[in-house]
Amino acid sequence: MATIRETILKVKPGKQKIIPLSEVDVTGYRQQAHVISKELRDKGIVVPGGKPAYTISKNKYTGSMYIINNMQK
C-alpha cells in the first residue's frame, strides 16, 4: 500500500488520477496536499490562478480518490 504523499507526487502536471481507496492509505490526505503545495511555493514554483498545486477529493460512494495536479507543463 502506497503512502498518500507518494501517490500525490506521481500525478503529472495538468493531469487527473482516480485511485480506489483500497490502494492507498488516505489518512491525512488534505494535510499532505497542503504541505506539498507549501514546499513548492517555498521553492518558487507558482501555480496559475493562485490555486493549490494539488486538488484532492474523496468520494465514499464510489470508493475513489481524485487527485488533480494544477501545475502546468
Side-chain angles (χ1 to χ4, degrees):
M1 184 178 291
T3 65
I4 190 63
R5 183 177 182 87
E6 293 169 350
T7 306
I8 291 170
L9 292 173
K10 286 182 185 177
V11 181
K12 296 180 181 177
K15 300 292 182 181
Q16 174 180 342
K17 189 170 192 173
I18 302 170
I19 303 164
L21 292 174
S22 60
E23 288 185 14
V24 67
D25 179 20
V26 296
T27 306
Y29 70 96
R30 289 185 183 170
Q31 180 182 3
Q32 280 300 320
H34 178 73
V35 168
I36 293 169
S37 292
K38 188 173 185 281
E39 289 172 358
L40 291 172
R41 215 174 314 122
D42 291 344
K43 289 180 183 177
I45 299 172
V46 179
V47 179
K51 294 181 180 179
Y54 295 93
T55 302
I56 302 176
S57 63
K58 185 172 71 168
N59 188 324
K60 65 180 179 182
Y61 298 111
T62 61
S64 300
M65 175 176 276
Y66 300 86
I67 303 172
I68 304 168
N69 187 331
N70 294 318
M71 293 184 280
Q72 294 179 347
K73 293 182 181 182

